[in-house]
């Protein structure tokens, strides 16, 4: 985590997921995620450093897992295990 902070690769996460038939989406906040744009803009020496440390594959695994959230959420809905919405005033 320190290395990610030093490279300024983290950002506040927010994911919006829509259930078919609901007018309001589910919004997940309050977590950190890797900023893919900043990862792509790293200098060669920075990229080599995280590649040699073994961090680079973990970052790509993290980004891949974020891309699967809609499918996981849809599966939860189909199994009747969707989260219960919380009303925010």
């Amino acid at each position: 985590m320190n290395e990610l902070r030093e490279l300024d690769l983290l950002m506040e996460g927010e994911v919006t997921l829509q259930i078919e038939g609901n007018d309001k989406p589910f919004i997940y906040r309050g977590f950190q995620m890797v900023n893919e744009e900043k990862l792509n803009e790293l200098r060669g020496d920075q990229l080599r450093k995280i590649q040699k440390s073994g961090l680079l594959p973990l970052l790509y695994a993290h980004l891949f897992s974020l891309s699967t959230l809609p499918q996981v959420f849809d599966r939860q809905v189909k199994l009747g295990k969707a989260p219960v919405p919380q009303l925010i005033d």
Side-chain angles (χ1 to χ4, degrees):
M1 291 305 293
N2 288 336
E3 196 166 352
L4 295 177
R5 285 186 192 102
E6 287 172 11
L7 293 170
D8 193 31
L9 291 178
L10 294 175
M11 65 183 196
E12 291 298 317
E14 182 175 298
V15 176
T16 303
L17 300 164
Q18 185 70 45
I19 292 181
E20 194 173 311
N22 278 13
D23 56 340
K24 294 189 178 184
F26 284 89
I27 301 172
Y28 292 96
R29 294 183 183 110
F31 63 95
Q32 297 271 291
M33 59 190 277
V34 171
N35 184 324
E36 191 171 2
E37 286 181 28
K38 288 185 177 183
L39 177 61
N40 289 334
E41 293 172 0
L42 286 178
R43 295 187 323 257
D45 60 320
Q46 295 170 317
L47 195 56
R48 255 187 316 283
K49 182 180 176 185
I50 63 172
Q51 187 273 329
K52 286 187 176 191
S53 73
L55 184 58
L56 188 58
L58 298 174
L59 298 180
Y60 283 116
H62 162 74
L63 292 170
F64 175 76
S65 73
L66 290 174
S67 73
T68 64
L69 280 176
Q71 292 91 347
V72 171
F73 190 78
D74 185 54
R75 187 172 183 131
Q76 281 183 307
V77 170
K78 287 179 181 171
L79 292 172
K81 298 181 179 184
V84 178
Q86 295 179 350
L87 299 175
I88 300 174
D89 295 322

